[in-house]
Amino acid sequence: MFLFYVNPILIAAAVIPAIVLLRFVYKEDRLDKESPGLLLSLVIFGILSTFAAIVTEQIGEAILGILLPQSSTAYNVLLYFVVVALSEEGFKYLLLKKRTWYSSEFNCQFDGVVYAVFVALGFALWENISYVLMYGLGTAAVRAVTAVPGHACFGVFMGTFYGLAKRYDNFGDEYRSRRCRRFAVLVPVLLHGAYDFIATYEYDGYAWIFVVFVVLLFAAAYRMIKKLSRDDRFIDDSRYAEAFVREKLRLSGWGEYKIRTALQRKGVSKERIDAALSQADRPAMGERLAQQLERKARTVKYTSQYELKTRLIRYGLSLGYDYEAVMDAASAMVRETDTCNDF
């Protein structure tokens, strides 16, 4: 309730950066959107992880203070990589896995990124509110371009391995799934620890090192989101192949051969590809090919009916359609064009 008695501008400054990043990641989830209830629960779990991390960080820092002098490099390395980074990323991961691993909505590989980022930004949101209320708008501006997107980046790396772990688990490959789950914790811990260590290290030139580190981290996370979103697939290859066939037939106008080649390159087995293509509407494919050739005929330049037919055949084959189907459709298109010219 204390949030109702503070400056709303401070709250907005603390919350808006996280909301902007949440919206960005949500929009990149293109295959099967997650339910609002699940996403809201992940943000809440992220907030809860801040309280768990506070406890372990206080205990860890007290133990370190007894064992090592605070001015030593060893103290700072253990503080930032183990006490802080492992506590925060560890609790994020534990709550992430508890909420989503057995969820029926976890059906696409990119879902792992979405879930991890939502938990990470739930953590960042609450942490940011605390800092901004203590230190003001200046802190909000700095954290909006550093700490908040930093937590989102750690979530991207966590989610990448987490989604891959779920995929291996679906294949029954427990060894690789377990290894990916370990990396889902280890990589964010190392990145988080490096971020904090560089940010707080007092030495000439380290400010520029921190800037370079942050830029590279943000750029890598952004590129990963874009690539993983573009290449997203259902964790179950059968569902992925079926969705891929529907999309490429309806929206891209691809033929069977082009679809088959694309799925093979993505590692989908021949049996699953055959099963997905067997469900395709063959008459609709023929109509789609005719429409594609008709549009092409209106734009192509030719001096004879033979040249028109040759160009239409070449175009139809480039779309991945069967040669006989392309020949029949092109011949029909040329006859129709010839009839119109005679008229």
Side-chain angles (χ1 to χ4, degrees):
M1 295 297 290
F2 78 96
L3 294 179
F4 293 106
Y5 301 99
V6 299
N7 189 336
I9 296 177
L10 291 177
I11 297 298
V15 171
I16 288 174
I19 292 176
V20 170
L21 292 171
L22 289 171
R23 184 174 181 273
F24 168 70
V25 174
Y26 177 76
K27 288 179 65 177
E28 291 297 318
D29 186 12
R30 63 181 184 84
L31 267 189
D32 190 9
K33 295 288 189 185
E34 312 310 303
S35 67
L38 173 61
L39 297 178
L40 178 60
S41 70
L42 290 171
V43 173
I44 294 173
F45 271 43
I47 293 173
L48 293 176
S49 67
T50 62
F51 297 104
I54 287 172
V55 175
T56 56
E57 285 175 22
Q58 289 179 343
I59 295 172
E61 195 169 351
I63 295 173
L64 272 183
I66 297 172
L67 299 176
L68 295 167
Q70 293 186 8
S71 59
S72 67
T73 301
Y75 175 91
N76 286 293
V77 169
L78 291 173
L79 174 65
Y80 294 122
F81 282 89
V82 178
V83 175
V84 176
L86 183 58
S87 293
E88 296 184 5
E89 300 306 322
F91 281 117
K92 288 179 194 174
Y93 174 80
L94 289 175
L95 291 175
L96 163 70
K97 187 171 185 292
K98 180 176 179 60
R99 179 62 184 88
T100 62
W101 187 254
Y102 297 105
S103 172
S104 60
E105 294 191 45
F106 195 173
N107 58 356
C108 299
Q109 197 164 323
F110 189 72
D111 289 350
V113 175
V114 175
Y115 298 159
V117 170
F118 267 69
V119 171
L121 287 173
F123 184 103
L125 185 149
W126 190 258
E127 183 185 62
N128 209 35
I129 289 174
S130 303
Y131 275 101
V132 171
L133 291 181
M134 285 190 291
Y135 302 112
L137 287 175
T139 298
V142 173
R143 290 181 59 83
V145 295
T146 55
V148 175
H151 277 287
C153 291
F154 307 147
V156 171
F157 283 90
M158 180 181 291
T160 299
F161 288 106
Y162 186 63
L164 191 57
K166 183 65 173 178
R167 182 169 180 79
Y168 282 130
D169 180 74
N170 184 70
F171 291 159
D173 191 340
E174 180 58 27
Y175 171 75
R176 289 185 178 179
S177 178
R178 189 184 300 113
R179 186 172 63 178
C180 285
R181 292 199 298 272
R182 289 170 182 163
F183 278 117
V185 178
L186 178 62
V187 173
V189 166
L190 293 176
L191 291 173
H192 193 155
Y195 177 98
D196 287 347
F197 182 81
I198 298 171
T200 57
Y201 201 78
E202 296 180 358
Y203 187 78
D204 292 341
Y206 262 71
W208 284 109
I209 294 177
F210 177 70
V211 170
V212 172
F213 177 83
V214 168
V215 170
L216 292 176
L217 176 66
F218 291 1
Y222 179 82
R223 291 189 63 181
M224 287 173 65
I225 288 174
K226 287 295 185 180
K227 185 178 187 308
L228 292 169
S229 173
R230 183 178 64 250
D231 299 338
D232 191 20
R233 55 196 296 179
F234 285 102
I235 289 172
D236 183 341
D237 269 351
S238 297
R239 289 192 62 193
Y240 173 71
E242 292 169 6
F244 188 89
V245 169
R246 286 195 301 270
E247 176 187 341
K248 295 307 179 184
L249 287 177
R250 185 175 67 254
L251 301 180
S252 303
W254 287 11
E256 178 177 339
Y257 292 144
K258 192 170 184 178
I259 292 172
R260 182 180 296 278
T261 300
L263 285 171
Q264 287 173 341
R265 288 175 178 171
K266 293 176 180 292
V268 180
S269 69
K270 180 179 182 301
E271 292 74 17
R272 288 188 170 91
I273 297 174
D274 290 341
L277 285 170
S278 68
Q279 300 179 30
D281 187 341
R282 298 293 171 174
M285 289 177 64
E287 293 175 6
R288 180 66 169 160
L289 172 60
Q291 293 171 0
Q292 301 261 83
L293 294 184
E294 183 180 356
R295 283 199 296 269
K296 184 67 174 179
R298 289 199 296 264
T299 60
V300 71
K301 295 180 180 180
Y302 59 94
T303 57
S304 66
Q305 298 300 314
Y306 174 78
E307 183 181 2
L308 172 62
K309 183 177 180 179
T310 301
R311 294 196 174 192
L312 291 178
I313 291 173
R314 188 181 302 124
Y315 177 66
L317 292 175
S318 73
L319 294 173
Y321 285 92
D322 176 76
Y323 180 78
E324 291 185 3
V326 173
M327 278 289 293
D328 292 343
S331 298
M333 186 62 57
V334 169
R335 286 195 299 270
E336 182 178 337
T337 303
D338 193 40
T339 302
C340 291
N341 289 339
D342 290 341
F343 180 76

